[in-house]
Amino acid sequence: MRNHTITTFILLGLTDDPRMKVLAFIFLFFTYMLSVAGNLTIISLTLTDGHLRTAMYLFLQNFSFLEISFTTACIPRFLYNISTGDKVITYTACAVQVFFTYLFGITEFFLLATMSFDRYVAICKPLHYVTIMNNRVCHRLIISCWMAGLLIIIPPLSLGLNLEFCNSNVIDHFFCDATPLLKISCSDTWFIERMILVCAVLTFIMTLVCVVLSYMYIIMTILRFSSSQQRKKDFSTCSSHIVVVSITYGSCIFIYIKPSSKKDMALNKGVSLLISSISPMLNPFIYTLRNKQVKKALQNLIKKIEFFLKK
């Protein structure tokens, strides 16, 4: 993004109504704190509890780290803007925010696809699960997710750094996002818009195909089980992941797959708010409330803390 005469941007935020700003601040502050606390709890449990040191929980640990990173890249800056009234963000800070929000977001998609594959191996090939999903393979898959995120984001970001901003510096969003930035650029954005769309569609389709294929085989395998209790147990194991996948993919359809216009910006802001604050807050509850092992590990951790405090 070549700034020329523009060295700063102004983030319009969600609303100009003072009362709504106060409500937005309170809401976002508490959702952010709950999100960080919930995901940190999952990370702590997977690191300290010996029963949660399987491939499934290693992926969940990394997913929680991504959730904390993604919401931290968006929300604290917006909370600062609301509390101080300072809507200005520097050119460099804006470029950094774009990079990290997209990197964490894209990596999440690939990690969700990897988690689907993990569930496929666990249910369809249970006897070979430990062999296939060993630590070496799991760590390679996680690194591959991060590398895929980088490879997807680098081409459009490289072009974006050459954009010129000469007339307007007002971004109609509560954080630096590609779509509103392209709208205020005085450069020809046709090619970069097509590239962003292609990258978004490729990421979406590649990961979604992996998720759909994994769950097709999972469902077919589960339906072959003669025991209804076994079927219920396996469906329960996958239900948390299915809910998170549905929220993530459903939300992103509105923003990155659907063509955006000025009329759609309010909707895009709302969905961005869902992705950046509400979804990261809900995910720890979705995984813990529907997972007996995580609930048991949490109970053990609480008991240890109580015992420590009584000393």
PDB file of all heavy atoms in Angstrom, residues 163-190:
ATOM      1  N   LEU A 163      -0.699  -0.382  -3.702  1.00  0.00           N
ATOM      2  CA  LEU A 163      -1.877   0.467  -3.921  1.00  0.00           C
ATOM      3  C   LEU A 163      -1.594   1.916  -3.528  1.00  0.00           C
ATOM      4  O   LEU A 163      -0.843   2.182  -2.593  1.00  0.00           O
ATOM      5  CB  LEU A 163      -3.067  -0.049  -3.101  1.00  0.00           C
ATOM      6  CG  LEU A 163      -3.702  -1.372  -3.533  1.00  0.00           C
ATOM      7  CD1 LEU A 163      -4.792  -1.769  -2.553  1.00  0.00           C
ATOM      8  CD2 LEU A 163      -4.280  -1.275  -4.934  1.00  0.00           C
ATOM      9  N   GLU A 164      -2.218   2.832  -4.244  1.00  0.00           N
ATOM     10  CA  GLU A 164      -2.056   4.255  -3.954  1.00  0.00           C
ATOM     11  C   GLU A 164      -3.321   4.792  -3.302  1.00  0.00           C
ATOM     12  O   GLU A 164      -4.436   4.446  -3.688  1.00  0.00           O
ATOM     13  CB  GLU A 164      -1.760   5.035  -5.245  1.00  0.00           C
ATOM     14  CG  GLU A 164      -0.453   4.631  -5.907  1.00  0.00           C
ATOM     15  CD  GLU A 164      -0.206   5.386  -7.202  1.00  0.00           C
ATOM     16  OE1 GLU A 164      -1.032   6.266  -7.527  1.00  0.00           O
ATOM     17  OE2 GLU A 164       0.786   5.092  -7.873  1.00  0.00           O
ATOM     18  N   PHE A 165      -3.144   5.657  -2.291  1.00  0.00           N
ATOM     19  CA  PHE A 165      -4.250   6.296  -1.600  1.00  0.00           C
ATOM     20  C   PHE A 165      -4.017   7.805  -1.641  1.00  0.00           C
ATOM     21  O   PHE A 165      -3.117   8.306  -0.990  1.00  0.00           O
ATOM     22  CB  PHE A 165      -4.354   5.799  -0.149  1.00  0.00           C
ATOM     23  CG  PHE A 165      -4.600   4.322  -0.035  1.00  0.00           C
ATOM     24  CD1 PHE A 165      -3.551   3.423   0.051  1.00  0.00           C
ATOM     25  CD2 PHE A 165      -5.894   3.835  -0.029  1.00  0.00           C
ATOM     26  CE1 PHE A 165      -3.779   2.065   0.141  1.00  0.00           C
ATOM     27  CE2 PHE A 165      -6.143   2.474   0.070  1.00  0.00           C
ATOM     28  CZ  PHE A 165      -5.080   1.589   0.151  1.00  0.00           C
ATOM     29  N   CYS A 166      -4.817   8.482  -2.434  1.00  0.00           N
ATOM     30  CA  CYS A 166      -4.561   9.912  -2.608  1.00  0.00           C
ATOM     31  C   CYS A 166      -5.742  10.815  -2.279  1.00  0.00           C
ATOM     32  O   CYS A 166      -5.554  11.983  -1.985  1.00  0.00           O
ATOM     33  CB  CYS A 166      -4.079  10.193  -4.036  1.00  0.00           C
ATOM     34  SG  CYS A 166      -4.603   9.001  -5.263  1.00  0.00           S
ATOM     35  N   ASN A 167      -6.971  10.306  -2.294  1.00  0.00           N
ATOM     36  CA  ASN A 167      -8.134  11.164  -2.052  1.00  0.00           C
ATOM     37  C   ASN A 167      -8.734  10.948  -0.658  1.00  0.00           C
ATOM     38  O   ASN A 167      -8.727  11.839   0.175  1.00  0.00           O
ATOM     39  CB  ASN A 167      -9.201  10.911  -3.124  1.00  0.00           C
ATOM     40  CG  ASN A 167      -8.680  11.238  -4.516  1.00  0.00           C
ATOM     41  OD1 ASN A 167      -7.985  12.223  -4.691  1.00  0.00           O
ATOM     42  ND2 ASN A 167      -9.002  10.411  -5.491  1.00  0.00           N
ATOM     43  N   SER A 168      -9.220   9.735  -0.422  1.00  0.00           N
ATOM     44  CA  SER A 168      -9.866   9.454   0.865  1.00  0.00           C
ATOM     45  C   SER A 168      -9.007   8.521   1.727  1.00  0.00           C
ATOM     46  O   SER A 168      -8.291   7.663   1.211  1.00  0.00           O
ATOM     47  CB  SER A 168     -11.226   8.782   0.622  1.00  0.00           C
ATOM     48  OG  SER A 168     -11.818   8.383   1.834  1.00  0.00           O
ATOM     49  N   ASN A 169      -9.089   8.730   3.035  1.00  0.00           N
ATOM     50  CA  ASN A 169      -8.388   7.848   3.972  1.00  0.00           C
ATOM     51  C   ASN A 169      -9.362   7.278   5.020  1.00  0.00           C
ATOM     52  O   ASN A 169      -8.938   6.802   6.068  1.00  0.00           O
ATOM     53  CB  ASN A 169      -7.239   8.591   4.668  1.00  0.00           C
ATOM     54  CG  ASN A 169      -7.733   9.649   5.630  1.00  0.00           C
ATOM     55  OD1 ASN A 169      -8.832  10.187   5.460  1.00  0.00           O
ATOM     56  ND2 ASN A 169      -6.937   9.969   6.635  1.00  0.00           N
ATOM     57  N   VAL A 170     -10.667   7.339   4.717  1.00  0.00           N
ATOM     58  CA  VAL A 170     -11.706   6.884   5.644  1.00  0.00           C
ATOM     59  C   VAL A 170     -12.091   5.445   5.310  1.00  0.00           C
ATOM     60  O   VAL A 170     -12.587   5.161   4.207  1.00  0.00           O
ATOM     61  CB  VAL A 170     -12.956   7.794   5.583  1.00  0.00           C
ATOM     62  CG1 VAL A 170     -14.034   7.268   6.541  1.00  0.00           C
ATOM     63  CG2 VAL A 170     -12.589   9.223   5.934  1.00  0.00           C
ATOM     64  N   ILE A 171     -11.854   4.529   6.257  1.00  0.00           N
ATOM     65  CA  ILE A 171     -12.178   3.111   6.082  1.00  0.00           C
ATOM     66  C   ILE A 171     -13.507   2.815   6.759  1.00  0.00           C
ATOM     67  O   ILE A 171     -13.653   3.006   7.973  1.00  0.00           O
ATOM     68  CB  ILE A 171     -11.074   2.207   6.687  1.00  0.00           C
ATOM     69  CG1 ILE A 171      -9.737   2.477   6.004  1.00  0.00           C
ATOM     70  CG2 ILE A 171     -11.451   0.739   6.570  1.00  0.00           C
ATOM     71  CD1 ILE A 171      -8.559   1.773   6.659  1.00  0.00           C
ATOM     72  N   ASP A 172     -14.474   2.381   5.982  1.00  0.00           N
ATOM     73  CA  ASP A 172     -15.813   2.103   6.507  1.00  0.00           C
ATOM     74  C   ASP A 172     -15.850   0.720   7.153  1.00  0.00           C
ATOM     75  O   ASP A 172     -16.482  -0.224   6.650  1.00  0.00           O
ATOM     76  CB  ASP A 172     -16.845   2.196   5.374  1.00  0.00           C
ATOM     77  CG  ASP A 172     -18.277   2.113   5.897  1.00  0.00           C
ATOM     78  OD1 ASP A 172     -18.458   2.202   7.130  1.00  0.00           O
ATOM     79  OD2 ASP A 172     -19.197   1.951   5.077  1.00  0.00           O
ATOM     80  N   HIS A 173     -15.144   0.592   8.282  1.00  0.00           N
ATOM     81  CA  HIS A 173     -15.101  -0.677   9.016  1.00  0.00           C
ATOM     82  C   HIS A 173     -14.556  -0.393  10.414  1.00  0.00           C
ATOM     83  O   HIS A 173     -14.137   0.734  10.704  1.00  0.00           O
ATOM     84  CB  HIS A 173     -14.201  -1.682   8.295  1.00  0.00           C
ATOM     85  CG  HIS A 173     -14.703  -3.092   8.377  1.00  0.00           C
ATOM     86  ND1 HIS A 173     -14.924  -3.742   9.575  1.00  0.00           N
ATOM     87  CD2 HIS A 173     -15.033  -3.985   7.403  1.00  0.00           C
ATOM     88  CE1 HIS A 173     -15.365  -4.967   9.334  1.00  0.00           C
ATOM     89  NE2 HIS A 173     -15.448  -5.141   8.029  1.00  0.00           N
ATOM     90  N   PHE A 174     -14.572  -1.423  11.288  1.00  0.00           N
ATOM     91  CA  PHE A 174     -14.012  -1.213  12.623  1.00  0.00           C
ATOM     92  C   PHE A 174     -12.592  -1.750  12.739  1.00  0.00           C
ATOM     93  O   PHE A 174     -11.955  -1.622  13.779  1.00  0.00           O
ATOM     94  CB  PHE A 174     -14.918  -1.820  13.714  1.00  0.00           C
ATOM     95  CG  PHE A 174     -15.100  -3.317  13.637  1.00  0.00           C
ATOM     96  CD1 PHE A 174     -14.242  -4.168  14.313  1.00  0.00           C
ATOM     97  CD2 PHE A 174     -16.130  -3.868  12.894  1.00  0.00           C
ATOM     98  CE1 PHE A 174     -14.397  -5.538  14.265  1.00  0.00           C
ATOM     99  CE2 PHE A 174     -16.306  -5.238  12.840  1.00  0.00           C
ATOM    100  CZ  PHE A 174     -15.442  -6.078  13.516  1.00  0.00           C
ATOM    101  N   PHE A 175     -12.085  -2.363  11.657  1.00  0.00           N
ATOM    102  CA  PHE A 175     -10.663  -2.715  11.573  1.00  0.00           C
ATOM    103  C   PHE A 175     -10.247  -2.679  10.114  1.00  0.00           C
ATOM    104  O   PHE A 175     -11.084  -2.565   9.220  1.00  0.00           O
ATOM    105  CB  PHE A 175     -10.389  -4.097  12.200  1.00  0.00           C
ATOM    106  CG  PHE A 175     -10.955  -5.259  11.435  1.00  0.00           C
ATOM    107  CD1 PHE A 175     -10.179  -5.964  10.526  1.00  0.00           C
ATOM    108  CD2 PHE A 175     -12.273  -5.678  11.642  1.00  0.00           C
ATOM    109  CE1 PHE A 175     -10.686  -7.049   9.828  1.00  0.00           C
ATOM    110  CE2 PHE A 175     -12.791  -6.766  10.944  1.00  0.00           C
ATOM    111  CZ  PHE A 175     -11.997  -7.445  10.037  1.00  0.00           C
ATOM    112  N   CYS A 176      -8.960  -2.729   9.862  1.00  0.00           N
ATOM    113  CA  CYS A 176      -8.463  -2.668   8.485  1.00  0.00           C
ATOM    114  C   CYS A 176      -8.759  -3.979   7.766  1.00  0.00           C
ATOM    115  O   CYS A 176      -8.235  -5.028   8.145  1.00  0.00           O
ATOM    116  CB  CYS A 176      -6.960  -2.398   8.478  1.00  0.00           C
ATOM    117  SG  CYS A 176      -6.533  -0.706   8.917  1.00  0.00           S
ATOM    118  N   ASP A 177      -9.591  -3.893   6.753  1.00  0.00           N
ATOM    119  CA  ASP A 177      -9.977  -5.065   5.976  1.00  0.00           C
ATOM    120  C   ASP A 177      -9.758  -4.766   4.495  1.00  0.00           C
ATOM    121  O   ASP A 177      -9.770  -3.594   4.086  1.00  0.00           O
ATOM    122  CB  ASP A 177     -11.442  -5.410   6.260  1.00  0.00           C
ATOM    123  CG  ASP A 177     -11.847  -6.758   5.682  1.00  0.00           C
ATOM    124  OD1 ASP A 177     -10.988  -7.652   5.647  1.00  0.00           O
ATOM    125  OD2 ASP A 177     -13.000  -6.906   5.259  1.00  0.00           O
ATOM    126  N   ALA A 178      -9.587  -5.794   3.707  1.00  0.00           N
ATOM    127  CA  ALA A 178      -9.238  -5.608   2.295  1.00  0.00           C
ATOM    128  C   ALA A 178     -10.318  -4.875   1.506  1.00  0.00           C
ATOM    129  O   ALA A 178     -10.020  -3.947   0.741  1.00  0.00           O
ATOM    130  CB  ALA A 178      -8.957  -6.972   1.665  1.00  0.00           C
ATOM    131  N   THR A 179     -11.581  -5.286   1.682  1.00  0.00           N
ATOM    132  CA  THR A 179     -12.666  -4.718   0.869  1.00  0.00           C
ATOM    133  C   THR A 179     -12.796  -3.206   1.020  1.00  0.00           C
ATOM    134  O   THR A 179     -12.791  -2.486   0.008  1.00  0.00           O
ATOM    135  CB  THR A 179     -14.002  -5.413   1.201  1.00  0.00           C
ATOM    136  OG1 THR A 179     -13.863  -6.814   0.984  1.00  0.00           O
ATOM    137  CG2 THR A 179     -15.125  -4.882   0.338  1.00  0.00           C
ATOM    138  N   PRO A 180     -12.934  -2.653   2.234  1.00  0.00           N
ATOM    139  CA  PRO A 180     -13.033  -1.189   2.339  1.00  0.00           C
ATOM    140  C   PRO A 180     -11.764  -0.462   1.919  1.00  0.00           C
ATOM    141  O   PRO A 180     -11.827   0.677   1.439  1.00  0.00           O
ATOM    142  CB  PRO A 180     -13.326  -0.957   3.829  1.00  0.00           C
ATOM    143  CG  PRO A 180     -12.904  -2.200   4.527  1.00  0.00           C
ATOM    144  CD  PRO A 180     -13.113  -3.296   3.556  1.00  0.00           C
ATOM    145  N   LEU A 181     -10.602  -1.094   2.068  1.00  0.00           N
ATOM    146  CA  LEU A 181      -9.351  -0.472   1.623  1.00  0.00           C
ATOM    147  C   LEU A 181      -9.310  -0.344   0.103  1.00  0.00           C
ATOM    148  O   LEU A 181      -8.868   0.675  -0.438  1.00  0.00           O
ATOM    149  CB  LEU A 181      -8.147  -1.288   2.104  1.00  0.00           C
ATOM    150  CG  LEU A 181      -7.670  -1.032   3.531  1.00  0.00           C
ATOM    151  CD1 LEU A 181      -6.675  -2.098   3.967  1.00  0.00           C
ATOM    152  CD2 LEU A 181      -7.036   0.354   3.658  1.00  0.00           C
ATOM    153  N   LEU A 182      -9.779  -1.385  -0.581  1.00  0.00           N
ATOM    154  CA  LEU A 182      -9.801  -1.345  -2.046  1.00  0.00           C
ATOM    155  C   LEU A 182     -10.754  -0.269  -2.558  1.00  0.00           C
ATOM    156  O   LEU A 182     -10.521   0.343  -3.602  1.00  0.00           O
ATOM    157  CB  LEU A 182     -10.210  -2.711  -2.597  1.00  0.00           C
ATOM    158  CG  LEU A 182      -9.192  -3.851  -2.419  1.00  0.00           C
ATOM    159  CD1 LEU A 182      -9.782  -5.178  -2.862  1.00  0.00           C
ATOM    160  CD2 LEU A 182      -7.908  -3.568  -3.178  1.00  0.00           C
ATOM    161  N   LYS A 183     -11.835  -0.038  -1.814  1.00  0.00           N
ATOM    162  CA  LYS A 183     -12.836   0.954  -2.229  1.00  0.00           C
ATOM    163  C   LYS A 183     -12.296   2.379  -2.202  1.00  0.00           C
ATOM    164  O   LYS A 183     -12.728   3.222  -2.986  1.00  0.00           O
ATOM    165  CB  LYS A 183     -14.075   0.851  -1.334  1.00  0.00           C
ATOM    166  CG  LYS A 183     -14.948  -0.355  -1.647  1.00  0.00           C
ATOM    167  CD  LYS A 183     -16.178  -0.376  -0.764  1.00  0.00           C
ATOM    168  CE  LYS A 183     -17.053  -1.573  -1.116  1.00  0.00           C
ATOM    169  NZ  LYS A 183     -18.265  -1.638  -0.254  1.00  0.00           N
ATOM    170  N   ILE A 184     -11.370   2.660  -1.290  1.00  0.00           N
ATOM    171  CA  ILE A 184     -10.858   4.039  -1.183  1.00  0.00           C
ATOM    172  C   ILE A 184      -9.543   4.236  -1.934  1.00  0.00           C
ATOM    173  O   ILE A 184      -8.998   5.337  -1.948  1.00  0.00           O
ATOM    174  CB  ILE A 184     -10.688   4.458   0.299  1.00  0.00           C
ATOM    175  CG1 ILE A 184      -9.618   3.596   0.994  1.00  0.00           C
ATOM    176  CG2 ILE A 184     -12.011   4.404   1.039  1.00  0.00           C
ATOM    177  CD1 ILE A 184      -9.236   4.086   2.384  1.00  0.00           C
ATOM    178  N   SER A 185      -9.027   3.181  -2.549  1.00  0.00           N
ATOM    179  CA  SER A 185      -7.769   3.308  -3.293  1.00  0.00           C
ATOM    180  C   SER A 185      -8.016   4.014  -4.621  1.00  0.00           C
ATOM    181  O   SER A 185      -9.048   3.820  -5.274  1.00  0.00           O
ATOM    182  CB  SER A 185      -7.169   1.925  -3.544  1.00  0.00           C
ATOM    183  OG  SER A 185      -6.040   2.030  -4.394  1.00  0.00           O
ATOM    184  N   CYS A 186      -7.055   4.843  -5.041  1.00  0.00           N
ATOM    185  CA  CYS A 186      -7.182   5.518  -6.336  1.00  0.00           C
ATOM    186  C   CYS A 186      -6.436   4.752  -7.436  1.00  0.00           C
ATOM    187  O   CYS A 186      -6.315   5.215  -8.563  1.00  0.00           O
ATOM    188  CB  CYS A 186      -6.681   6.959  -6.244  1.00  0.00           C
ATOM    189  SG  CYS A 186      -5.034   7.136  -5.552  1.00  0.00           S
ATOM    190  N   SER A 187      -5.943   3.548  -7.094  1.00  0.00           N
ATOM    191  CA  SER A 187      -5.308   2.678  -8.096  1.00  0.00           C
ATOM    192  C   SER A 187      -6.377   1.817  -8.774  1.00  0.00           C
ATOM    193  O   SER A 187      -7.512   1.722  -8.304  1.00  0.00           O
ATOM    194  CB  SER A 187      -4.279   1.763  -7.433  1.00  0.00           C
ATOM    195  OG  SER A 187      -3.289   2.492  -6.769  1.00  0.00           O
ATOM    196  N   ASP A 188      -5.996   1.195  -9.863  1.00  0.00           N
ATOM    197  CA  ASP A 188      -6.880   0.231 -10.522  1.00  0.00           C
ATOM    198  C   ASP A 188      -6.838  -1.064  -9.713  1.00  0.00           C
ATOM    199  O   ASP A 188      -5.797  -1.729  -9.631  1.00  0.00           O
ATOM    200  CB  ASP A 188      -6.392  -0.024 -11.952  1.00  0.00           C
ATOM    201  CG  ASP A 188      -7.317  -0.981 -12.708  1.00  0.00           C
ATOM    202  OD1 ASP A 188      -8.364  -1.383 -12.144  1.00  0.00           O
ATOM    203  OD2 ASP A 188      -6.976  -1.345 -13.857  1.00  0.00           O
ATOM    204  N   THR A 189      -7.969  -1.421  -9.097  1.00  0.00           N
ATOM    205  CA  THR A 189      -8.003  -2.566  -8.173  1.00  0.00           C
ATOM    206  C   THR A 189      -8.631  -3.814  -8.802  1.00  0.00           C
ATOM    207  O   THR A 189      -8.853  -4.798  -8.110  1.00  0.00           O
ATOM    208  CB  THR A 189      -8.779  -2.199  -6.894  1.00  0.00           C
ATOM    209  OG1 THR A 189     -10.130  -1.839  -7.248  1.00  0.00           O
ATOM    210  CG2 THR A 189      -8.125  -1.049  -6.161  1.00  0.00           C
ATOM    211  N   TRP A 190      -8.907  -3.760 -10.105  1.00  0.00           N
ATOM    212  CA  TRP A 190      -9.613  -4.885 -10.743  1.00  0.00           C
ATOM    213  C   TRP A 190      -8.842  -6.190 -10.557  1.00  0.00           C
ATOM    214  O   TRP A 190      -9.410  -7.200 -10.151  1.00  0.00           O
ATOM    215  CB  TRP A 190      -9.808  -4.613 -12.243  1.00  0.00           C
ATOM    216  CG  TRP A 190     -10.564  -5.717 -12.934  1.00  0.00           C
ATOM    217  CD1 TRP A 190     -11.910  -5.820 -13.073  1.00  0.00           C
ATOM    218  CD2 TRP A 190      -9.992  -6.874 -13.559  1.00  0.00           C
ATOM    219  NE1 TRP A 190     -12.232  -6.974 -13.752  1.00  0.00           N
ATOM    220  CE2 TRP A 190     -11.080  -7.648 -14.063  1.00  0.00           C
ATOM    221  CE3 TRP A 190      -8.693  -7.334 -13.751  1.00  0.00           C
ATOM    222  CZ2 TRP A 190     -10.886  -8.843 -14.738  1.00  0.00           C
ATOM    223  CZ3 TRP A 190      -8.509  -8.539 -14.429  1.00  0.00           C
ATOM    224  CH2 TRP A 190      -9.593  -9.285 -14.912  1.00  0.00           C
TER     225      TRP A 190
END
